[in-house]
Amino acid sequence: MAFVLELQISSNQNYIQNTIIAISREYGIKAKIYQTDEKIVCAFESEHEKLQECLDSITQKLPASLFLKSSSSYRIEDEPKTLTELHNPYPVNLGLCPSCQKEMLDVSSRRYYYPFSSCSCCGGNYSFLQAYPYERKNTSFKFITPCSSCSDEMQSVGLKEKHHLNSCHSCGVPVRLVNKTTERYANDAGSFRTLFEVAAKALNDNKKLLIKTTLGYRLFYQAQMINNSSVLMMINAGKITDHLSLITEEFNALLSIERPIINVTLKNEDLKTIYNTNTAYVKYPDDGFCILLGVELQKLGIDFVAYEDVDEDCDADILMDYDLEVNQQSDMRVFLNKDISFVAEGERVSFPALDFDAKSLVSVTDEYVGLPQGEQMFFDSLEHFDSINVDRANVLEGVDEKYHTNQHLFLPEEASFMSVIAENKAFGKKCIGAYFDEEPSFLYYDGKNVVRVVPPKKFDASKILDDIINLRDGSDRLIINLEKNMPEVYQKLEALQTRESVKLFEAVAIILGLEDESMRGVVKEAMKFVGKGGIQIDTHVTDNRFDHGAFLASIISYQLAGVSTSIMAYSIFESFRDYFNDILQELKGKTKATEIVLCGVDFANQSLFSRMQRNLKMTPPLINKNYPIGKENRVVGGVYL
Ligand SMILES: [Zn+2]
Ligand SMILES: [Zn+2]
């Protein structure tokens, strides 16, 4: 007999599975543990005397995950014959698991206040990878020889088995803290503790602190000093809900091992004043450096701090760093509401990935590549690979390099669309879809090929004022009034005409008079509106294309009429929602498509997505599962073009 534990999981990564394998090995329990079709199946030998102890340990040590849904258990006849082997062919970047966090804060451990604490199932391991195969000699830890205790751990069962980056105070990486006049080093528990204590105090004294974390450079400062790119790091788990209004799903997501950034509603009135809005991008400390800094900040009575991802040249009052090469991935931002959660953007956690059936081709985008490895496709950063023999190369339009004599170019939104088809196994089905990344566009997939039915129209700001003037009779008065009544907006729009690659929502934010002149600014402004039903903004289609002039003219006229900016911002997305809905339904009728696909990072917007979900209740939209709905998914879709 075997006792079977089954976990529903919506991720294809194997860190959760590996955690269970590592623990079952630690207890010497024979088991068959594998991951398939959105579940992890763990069949343990049921007669083992330590089975209950092992299951309790799994409950304790298994991290909370964004992707874990539910679990069930049952018994089957088959008895597992061997221990399950750990399988970690590539590392990913995660937060720390409960065991590693505990060890880092345990005075008696070899890793007390050691910020590089991690195991084979957690931590910023991908950051240190330089080449494959994933072994210590191919990472930036290659010059650090593990001490005998670390080396023993790497060869013994448990969470540190095969942990190629294993290290501790006695064999590990020294860290320095440098300010304008002094420099201090840490290489043991005492000095590391002092280092973080000093850093936290400096932060408390309004200094800007640049830390090379295991997930790359981050600049920390007090929440009062935020700018539009800042993320609020909530460091005190017990007080998160004092400052933020969260639904349970948001709270759980923040503390999950993936430690994503999410956009949430603020509760703290001071923060609302500082942010001049009622929402913020928020994160809970993920890597060892952030966790230890957080512990010291808590001692000073601080519940949150602001930070932003930067590079090493960033200006700061104090620098905390070390001599190991780190490759930084863009952070994971997750969108969620009560009914759905998906990755909006970022590389972390989604990549690298081993997925789908192998094909004899490479898919190449700006920085990522997908190539066959064994029976599957492998997706990772271009720099980790040498040449490979395949039949063809599918390359994103705009990437200039020549990779293959048989090279095909693909379009960004077509690739994003195909990544959704691939992830949802919708090959052969007729699908209609919308793509939204600053510009809206529509695509159709007939079961074989994808085509753009309403192509994106690149926003051309060079004649923006003339475009509005020539829109229809009397439109010139709109611009005359704008110049007279809102001269600052007029001048900014005029200045846009001489600039290259201006985004549509930059113009929108300028017309609305927002300080954050971007899509992000408009989204934030829309979140301020709590009423129901906005006003109709012109989302017109002329010659089968979205009409930018009409859209902007419509916003200008409401602005001149004195409509509040938050109602305007909200109404813009409400109108977009109707626009997407109308065209999708129309195309669905015409093409007899059975599925609706949504992709593009700008769907990750509470004012837009939740309402679209309601409208599309009859045909719930297909979206990405393991990969972001944003541009990072192109390398996946590129395989199928
Ligand atoms: Zn761990
Ligand atoms: Zn060691």
Side-chain angles (χ1 to χ4, degrees), residues 213-248:
T213 73
T214 63
L215 299 169
Y217 283 93
R218 285 176 181 169
L219 182 67
F220 289 86
Y221 38 84
Q222 291 219 37
Q224 288 78 0
M225 299 157 85
I226 58 132
N227 64 55
N228 290 326
S229 316
S230 306
V231 176
L232 196 60
M233 187 173 270
M234 305 304 298
I235 50 186
N236 188 337
K239 289 199 174 165
I240 289 180
T241 49
D242 291 1
H243 306 296
L244 307 175
S245 286
L246 302 177
I247 56 170
T248 316

mmCIF file of all heavy atoms in Angstrom, residues 213-248:
data_model
loop_
_atom_site.group_PDB
_atom_site.id
_atom_site.type_symbol
_atom_site.label_atom_id
_atom_site.label_comp_id
_atom_site.label_asym_id
_atom_site.label_seq_id
_atom_site.Cartn_x
_atom_site.Cartn_y
_atom_site.Cartn_z
ATOM 1 N N THR A 213 21.752 42.830 -3.293
ATOM 2 C CA THR A 213 21.086 41.673 -2.707
ATOM 3 C C THR A 213 21.383 40.460 -3.586
ATOM 4 O O THR A 213 22.004 40.587 -4.639
ATOM 5 C CB THR A 213 19.550 41.875 -2.631
ATOM 6 O OG1 THR A 213 19.029 41.773 -3.955
ATOM 7 C CG2 THR A 213 19.190 43.226 -2.047
ATOM 8 N N THR A 214 20.935 39.291 -3.177
ATOM 9 C CA THR A 214 21.172 38.122 -4.024
ATOM 10 C C THR A 214 20.278 38.181 -5.260
ATOM 11 O O THR A 214 20.409 37.380 -6.173
ATOM 12 C CB THR A 214 20.894 36.800 -3.274
ATOM 13 O OG1 THR A 214 19.514 36.768 -2.917
ATOM 14 C CG2 THR A 214 21.744 36.673 -2.032
ATOM 15 N N LEU A 215 19.346 39.135 -5.295
ATOM 16 C CA LEU A 215 18.483 39.296 -6.470
ATOM 17 C C LEU A 215 18.828 40.574 -7.227
ATOM 18 O O LEU A 215 18.041 41.063 -8.016
ATOM 19 C CB LEU A 215 17.007 39.298 -6.035
ATOM 20 C CG LEU A 215 16.549 37.998 -5.355
ATOM 21 C CD1 LEU A 215 15.182 38.167 -4.716
ATOM 22 C CD2 LEU A 215 16.524 36.846 -6.358
ATOM 23 N N GLY A 216 20.017 41.109 -6.966
ATOM 24 C CA GLY A 216 20.466 42.288 -7.687
ATOM 25 C C GLY A 216 20.460 43.545 -6.823
ATOM 26 O O GLY A 216 20.125 43.498 -5.638
ATOM 27 N N TYR A 217 20.857 44.656 -7.432
ATOM 28 C CA TYR A 217 20.983 45.911 -6.683
ATOM 29 C C TYR A 217 19.632 46.523 -6.368
ATOM 30 O O TYR A 217 18.769 46.635 -7.238
ATOM 31 C CB TYR A 217 21.803 46.917 -7.484
ATOM 32 C CG TYR A 217 23.283 46.629 -7.452
ATOM 33 C CD1 TYR A 217 23.879 45.868 -8.451
ATOM 34 C CD2 TYR A 217 24.077 47.113 -6.402
ATOM 35 C CE1 TYR A 217 25.239 45.593 -8.414
ATOM 36 C CE2 TYR A 217 25.441 46.842 -6.364
ATOM 37 C CZ TYR A 217 26.013 46.083 -7.373
ATOM 38 O OH TYR A 217 27.351 45.812 -7.327
ATOM 39 N N ARG A 218 19.473 46.919 -5.107
ATOM 40 C CA ARG A 218 18.262 47.632 -4.712
ATOM 41 C C ARG A 218 18.647 48.852 -3.893
ATOM 42 O O ARG A 218 19.526 48.767 -3.032
ATOM 43 C CB ARG A 218 17.356 46.727 -3.872
ATOM 44 C CG ARG A 218 16.634 45.690 -4.708
ATOM 45 C CD ARG A 218 15.820 44.764 -3.834
ATOM 46 N NE ARG A 218 15.151 43.757 -4.663
ATOM 47 C CZ ARG A 218 14.553 42.692 -4.169
ATOM 48 N NH1 ARG A 218 14.545 42.482 -2.866
ATOM 49 N NH2 ARG A 218 13.974 41.814 -4.967
ATOM 50 N N LEU A 219 17.985 49.955 -4.155
ATOM 51 C CA LEU A 219 18.222 51.183 -3.402
ATOM 52 C C LEU A 219 17.086 51.353 -2.394
ATOM 53 O O LEU A 219 15.924 51.412 -2.761
ATOM 54 C CB LEU A 219 18.268 52.377 -4.362
ATOM 55 C CG LEU A 219 18.548 53.734 -3.714
ATOM 56 C CD1 LEU A 219 19.976 53.783 -3.143
ATOM 57 C CD2 LEU A 219 18.334 54.870 -4.708
ATOM 58 N N PHE A 220 17.465 51.399 -1.114
ATOM 59 C CA PHE A 220 16.468 51.527 -0.041
ATOM 60 C C PHE A 220 16.457 52.944 0.520
ATOM 61 O O PHE A 220 17.509 53.575 0.631
ATOM 62 C CB PHE A 220 16.804 50.564 1.111
ATOM 63 C CG PHE A 220 16.579 49.119 0.770
ATOM 64 C CD1 PHE A 220 17.571 48.375 0.134
ATOM 65 C CD2 PHE A 220 15.377 48.505 1.085
ATOM 66 C CE1 PHE A 220 17.365 47.043 -0.186
ATOM 67 C CE2 PHE A 220 15.160 47.167 0.774
ATOM 68 C CZ PHE A 220 16.155 46.445 0.136
ATOM 69 N N TYR A 221 15.287 53.402 0.886
ATOM 70 C CA TYR A 221 15.151 54.702 1.538
ATOM 71 C C TYR A 221 13.816 54.732 2.274
ATOM 72 O O TYR A 221 12.971 53.856 2.085
ATOM 73 C CB TYR A 221 15.240 55.849 0.533
ATOM 74 C CG TYR A 221 14.574 55.561 -0.800
ATOM 75 C CD1 TYR A 221 13.210 55.750 -0.970
ATOM 76 C CD2 TYR A 221 15.327 55.074 -1.879
ATOM 77 C CE1 TYR A 221 12.599 55.472 -2.180
ATOM 78 C CE2 TYR A 221 14.721 54.783 -3.094
ATOM 79 C CZ TYR A 221 13.352 54.986 -3.240
ATOM 80 O OH TYR A 221 12.751 54.693 -4.431
ATOM 81 N N GLN A 222 13.638 55.763 3.099
ATOM 82 C CA GLN A 222 12.392 55.843 3.869
ATOM 83 C C GLN A 222 11.210 56.107 2.940
ATOM 84 O O GLN A 222 11.343 56.726 1.896
ATOM 85 C CB GLN A 222 12.512 56.971 4.889
ATOM 86 C CG GLN A 222 13.506 56.613 5.969
ATOM 87 C CD GLN A 222 13.032 57.078 7.323
ATOM 88 O OE1 GLN A 222 11.849 57.047 7.637
ATOM 89 N NE2 GLN A 222 13.979 57.521 8.141
ATOM 90 N N ALA A 223 10.052 55.642 3.374
ATOM 91 C CA ALA A 223 8.845 55.732 2.544
ATOM 92 C C ALA A 223 8.516 57.169 2.144
ATOM 93 O O ALA A 223 7.912 57.404 1.106
ATOM 94 C CB ALA A 223 7.659 55.104 3.272
ATOM 95 N N GLN A 224 8.944 58.144 2.961
ATOM 96 C CA GLN A 224 8.668 59.547 2.635
ATOM 97 C C GLN A 224 9.391 59.989 1.360
ATOM 98 O O GLN A 224 9.049 60.992 0.760
ATOM 99 C CB GLN A 224 9.132 60.483 3.772
ATOM 100 C CG GLN A 224 8.280 60.439 5.014
ATOM 101 C CD GLN A 224 8.579 59.219 5.876
ATOM 102 O OE1 GLN A 224 9.430 58.396 5.533
ATOM 103 N NE2 GLN A 224 7.861 59.074 6.976
ATOM 104 N N MET A 225 10.442 59.267 0.981
ATOM 105 C CA MET A 225 11.261 59.687 -0.156
ATOM 106 C C MET A 225 10.883 58.975 -1.455
ATOM 107 O O MET A 225 11.658 58.944 -2.393
ATOM 108 C CB MET A 225 12.747 59.410 0.167
ATOM 109 C CG MET A 225 13.241 60.184 1.379
ATOM 110 S SD MET A 225 14.689 59.396 2.134
ATOM 111 C CE MET A 225 15.983 60.086 1.123
ATOM 112 N N ILE A 226 9.693 58.415 -1.524
ATOM 113 C CA ILE A 226 9.329 57.602 -2.692
ATOM 114 C C ILE A 226 9.275 58.400 -4.000
ATOM 115 O O ILE A 226 9.066 59.599 -4.000
ATOM 116 C CB ILE A 226 7.951 56.921 -2.517
ATOM 117 C CG1 ILE A 226 6.877 57.994 -2.285
ATOM 118 C CG2 ILE A 226 7.960 55.880 -1.465
ATOM 119 C CD1 ILE A 226 5.681 57.794 -3.148
ATOM 120 N N ASN A 227 9.473 57.689 -5.089
ATOM 121 C CA ASN A 227 9.222 58.261 -6.411
ATOM 122 C C ASN A 227 8.308 57.286 -7.149
ATOM 123 O O ASN A 227 7.874 56.281 -6.583
ATOM 124 C CB ASN A 227 10.543 58.513 -7.151
ATOM 125 C CG ASN A 227 11.289 57.231 -7.430
ATOM 126 O OD1 ASN A 227 10.736 56.309 -8.032
ATOM 127 N ND2 ASN A 227 12.529 57.136 -6.981
ATOM 128 N N ASN A 228 8.051 57.547 -8.422
ATOM 129 C CA ASN A 228 7.070 56.737 -9.153
ATOM 130 C C ASN A 228 7.495 55.281 -9.366
ATOM 131 O O ASN A 228 6.665 54.423 -9.615
ATOM 132 C CB ASN A 228 6.746 57.383 -10.496
ATOM 133 C CG ASN A 228 5.957 58.655 -10.313
ATOM 134 O OD1 ASN A 228 5.144 58.752 -9.397
ATOM 135 N ND2 ASN A 228 6.205 59.648 -11.145
ATOM 136 N N SER A 229 8.804 54.985 -9.275
ATOM 137 C CA SER A 229 9.253 53.605 -9.487
ATOM 138 C C SER A 229 9.408 52.833 -8.187
ATOM 139 O O SER A 229 9.805 51.671 -8.205
ATOM 140 C CB SER A 229 10.616 53.585 -10.192
ATOM 141 O OG SER A 229 10.640 54.499 -11.225
ATOM 142 N N SER A 230 9.147 53.469 -7.064
ATOM 143 C CA SER A 230 9.392 52.806 -5.782
ATOM 144 C C SER A 230 8.391 51.686 -5.499
ATOM 145 O O SER A 230 7.243 51.746 -5.914
ATOM 146 C CB SER A 230 9.273 53.802 -4.628
ATOM 147 O OG SER A 230 10.100 54.907 -4.829
ATOM 148 N N VAL A 231 8.900 50.704 -4.764
ATOM 149 C CA VAL A 231 8.049 49.636 -4.241
ATOM 150 C C VAL A 231 8.087 49.776 -2.724
ATOM 151 O O VAL A 231 9.123 50.112 -2.145
ATOM 152 C CB VAL A 231 8.589 48.248 -4.652
ATOM 153 C CG1 VAL A 231 7.752 47.133 -4.034
ATOM 154 C CG2 VAL A 231 8.634 48.118 -6.162
ATOM 155 N N LEU A 232 6.949 49.557 -2.084
ATOM 156 C CA LEU A 232 6.880 49.637 -0.630
ATOM 157 C C LEU A 232 7.155 48.246 -0.076
ATOM 158 O O LEU A 232 6.464 47.294 -0.422
ATOM 159 C CB LEU A 232 5.471 50.099 -0.258
ATOM 160 C CG LEU A 232 5.211 50.610 1.139
ATOM 161 C CD1 LEU A 232 6.073 51.831 1.450
ATOM 162 C CD2 LEU A 232 3.732 50.971 1.270
ATOM 163 N N MET A 233 8.200 48.125 0.754
ATOM 164 C CA MET A 233 8.490 46.816 1.336
ATOM 165 C C MET A 233 7.920 46.778 2.750
ATOM 166 O O MET A 233 8.340 47.550 3.614
ATOM 167 C CB MET A 233 9.996 46.550 1.321
ATOM 168 C CG MET A 233 10.362 45.150 1.754
ATOM 169 S SD MET A 233 12.121 44.806 1.542
ATOM 170 C CE MET A 233 12.175 44.147 -0.116
ATOM 171 N N MET A 234 6.952 45.885 2.958
ATOM 172 C CA MET A 234 6.341 45.752 4.276
ATOM 173 C C MET A 234 7.193 44.756 5.047
ATOM 174 O O MET A 234 7.278 43.595 4.663
ATOM 175 C CB MET A 234 4.918 45.202 4.167
ATOM 176 C CG MET A 234 3.998 45.997 3.266
ATOM 177 S SD MET A 234 3.836 47.753 3.679
ATOM 178 C CE MET A 234 3.132 47.685 5.309
ATOM 179 N N ILE A 235 7.858 45.204 6.134
ATOM 180 C CA ILE A 235 8.811 44.306 6.761
ATOM 181 C C ILE A 235 8.254 43.597 7.985
ATOM 182 O O ILE A 235 8.832 42.640 8.463
ATOM 183 C CB ILE A 235 10.110 45.042 7.126
ATOM 184 C CG1 ILE A 235 9.793 46.304 7.880
ATOM 185 C CG2 ILE A 235 10.898 45.341 5.880
ATOM 186 C CD1 ILE A 235 10.996 47.141 8.154
ATOM 187 N N ASN A 236 7.129 44.050 8.505
ATOM 188 C CA ASN A 236 6.580 43.440 9.705
ATOM 189 C C ASN A 236 5.277 42.715 9.352
ATOM 190 O O ASN A 236 4.225 43.324 9.199
ATOM 191 C CB ASN A 236 6.337 44.541 10.741
ATOM 192 C CG ASN A 236 5.951 43.978 12.092
ATOM 193 O OD1 ASN A 236 5.458 42.847 12.184
ATOM 194 N ND2 ASN A 236 6.160 44.751 13.137
ATOM 195 N N ALA A 237 5.372 41.386 9.239
ATOM 196 C CA ALA A 237 4.217 40.600 8.790
ATOM 197 C C ALA A 237 3.002 40.838 9.685
ATOM 198 O O ALA A 237 1.875 40.922 9.213
ATOM 199 C CB ALA A 237 4.568 39.115 8.761
ATOM 200 N N GLY A 238 3.252 40.993 10.989
ATOM 201 C CA GLY A 238 2.167 41.162 11.941
ATOM 202 C C GLY A 238 1.434 42.489 11.788
ATOM 203 O O GLY A 238 0.341 42.667 12.314
ATOM 204 N N LYS A 239 2.066 43.429 11.086
ATOM 205 C CA LYS A 239 1.442 44.753 10.998
ATOM 206 C C LYS A 239 1.043 45.131 9.575
ATOM 207 O O LYS A 239 0.636 46.269 9.321
ATOM 208 C CB LYS A 239 2.401 45.794 11.564
ATOM 209 C CG LYS A 239 2.543 45.681 13.067
ATOM 210 C CD LYS A 239 3.088 46.961 13.647
ATOM 211 C CE LYS A 239 3.091 46.897 15.162
ATOM 212 N NZ LYS A 239 3.927 47.941 15.727
ATOM 213 N N ILE A 240 1.176 44.174 8.657
ATOM 214 C CA ILE A 240 0.858 44.491 7.259
ATOM 215 C C ILE A 240 -0.555 45.042 7.130
ATOM 216 O O ILE A 240 -0.793 46.058 6.473
ATOM 217 C CB ILE A 240 1.014 43.228 6.365
ATOM 218 C CG1 ILE A 240 2.499 42.887 6.215
ATOM 219 C CG2 ILE A 240 0.402 43.461 4.985
ATOM 220 C CD1 ILE A 240 2.784 41.668 5.361
ATOM 221 N N THR A 241 -1.506 44.398 7.817
ATOM 222 C CA THR A 241 -2.904 44.811 7.649
ATOM 223 C C THR A 241 -3.228 46.094 8.422
ATOM 224 O O THR A 241 -4.319 46.633 8.293
ATOM 225 C CB THR A 241 -3.862 43.672 8.067
ATOM 226 O OG1 THR A 241 -3.459 43.182 9.344
ATOM 227 C CG2 THR A 241 -3.831 42.543 7.059
ATOM 228 N N ASP A 242 -2.267 46.599 9.236
ATOM 229 C CA ASP A 242 -2.469 47.930 9.828
ATOM 230 C C ASP A 242 -2.313 49.000 8.751
ATOM 231 O O ASP A 242 -2.889 50.076 8.849
ATOM 232 C CB ASP A 242 -1.408 48.225 10.912
ATOM 233 C CG ASP A 242 -1.600 47.352 12.137
ATOM 234 O OD1 ASP A 242 -2.532 46.519 12.120
ATOM 235 O OD2 ASP A 242 -0.816 47.505 13.091
ATOM 236 N N HIS A 243 -1.499 48.684 7.764
ATOM 237 C CA HIS A 243 -1.150 49.706 6.769
ATOM 238 C C HIS A 243 -1.791 49.487 5.406
ATOM 239 O O HIS A 243 -1.856 50.398 4.593
ATOM 240 C CB HIS A 243 0.370 49.763 6.603
ATOM 241 C CG HIS A 243 1.101 49.951 7.903
ATOM 242 N ND1 HIS A 243 0.945 51.094 8.666
ATOM 243 C CD2 HIS A 243 1.950 49.161 8.600
ATOM 244 C CE1 HIS A 243 1.681 50.986 9.769
ATOM 245 N NE2 HIS A 243 2.298 49.819 9.754
ATOM 246 N N LEU A 244 -2.186 48.243 5.139
ATOM 247 C CA LEU A 244 -2.762 47.927 3.828
ATOM 248 C C LEU A 244 -4.136 47.293 4.006
ATOM 249 O O LEU A 244 -4.353 46.546 4.949
ATOM 250 C CB LEU A 244 -1.861 46.925 3.079
ATOM 251 C CG LEU A 244 -0.377 47.263 2.929
ATOM 252 C CD1 LEU A 244 0.343 46.093 2.268
ATOM 253 C CD2 LEU A 244 -0.183 48.528 2.118
ATOM 254 N N SER A 245 -5.048 47.576 3.075
ATOM 255 C CA SER A 245 -6.342 46.891 3.057
ATOM 256 C C SER A 245 -6.229 45.735 2.082
ATOM 257 O O SER A 245 -6.181 45.958 0.882
ATOM 258 C CB SER A 245 -7.443 47.817 2.545
ATOM 259 O OG SER A 245 -7.770 48.743 3.508
ATOM 260 N N LEU A 246 -6.156 44.528 2.606
ATOM 261 C CA LEU A 246 -5.895 43.391 1.733
ATOM 262 C C LEU A 246 -7.029 42.380 1.763
ATOM 263 O O LEU A 246 -7.634 42.148 2.807
ATOM 264 C CB LEU A 246 -4.614 42.669 2.177
ATOM 265 C CG LEU A 246 -3.328 43.464 2.214
ATOM 266 C CD1 LEU A 246 -2.199 42.591 2.748
ATOM 267 C CD2 LEU A 246 -2.967 43.980 0.830
ATOM 268 N N ILE A 247 -7.289 41.744 0.611
ATOM 269 C CA ILE A 247 -8.116 40.551 0.646
ATOM 270 C C ILE A 247 -7.179 39.395 1.005
ATOM 271 O O ILE A 247 -5.952 39.512 0.866
ATOM 272 C CB ILE A 247 -8.844 40.290 -0.705
ATOM 273 C CG1 ILE A 247 -7.854 40.193 -1.875
ATOM 274 C CG2 ILE A 247 -9.885 41.367 -0.976
ATOM 275 C CD1 ILE A 247 -8.477 39.707 -3.185
ATOM 276 N N THR A 248 -7.733 38.295 1.494
ATOM 277 C CA THR A 248 -6.915 37.167 1.942
ATOM 278 C C THR A 248 -5.921 36.730 0.870
ATOM 279 O O THR A 248 -4.756 36.452 1.161
ATOM 280 C CB THR A 248 -7.826 35.960 2.273
ATOM 281 O OG1 THR A 248 -8.929 36.455 3.001
ATOM 282 C CG2 THR A 248 -7.099 34.930 3.087
#
